[in-house]
Amino acid sequence: MKKFFIGLVLGLIVSFPLGINFGKDVPLLSNPFAAKPDITERVKERTGEMIEDTKEAIHDATKPVRDKLKK
């Protein structure tokens, strides 16, 4: 029983930082307590991606009309 509890404690000690890193979507063996990337940088990156996706969708949606106007 003593070995079981020692294994349980060691497993918790190892799995806790790995779980934090997995939740943050960072490499598993990195420092789980390191500072997060700046929230403004993350928002800028995601909005830039969203704008590009939106531009592509609008371009694809209006392509048939533009082709008709060229004829």
Side-chain angles (χ1 to χ4, degrees):
M1 198 64 151
K2 182 178 175 182
K3 289 180 183 181
F4 173 76
F5 286 116
I6 291 173
L8 183 66
V9 169
L10 289 176
L12 289 173
I13 290 172
V14 170
S15 65
F16 182 72
L18 293 176
I20 290 174
N21 286 340
F22 183 76
K24 290 181 180 178
D25 197 29
V26 295
L28 291 180
L29 297 178
S30 65
N31 183 1
F33 304 110
K36 292 183 189 177
D38 192 19
I39 187 80
T40 55
E41 292 299 321
R42 290 190 344 221
V43 169
K44 285 180 187 177
E45 179 182 321
R46 289 183 182 168
T47 8
E49 292 172 0
M50 190 183 324
I51 289 172
E52 289 300 317
D53 292 343
T54 305
K55 284 181 183 179
E56 289 177 21
I58 291 172
H59 180 71
D60 292 342
T62 58
K63 187 175 181 178
V65 175
R66 283 185 283 119
D67 290 343
K68 272 187 178 179
L69 290 175
K70 286 183 182 179
K71 289 182 181 179

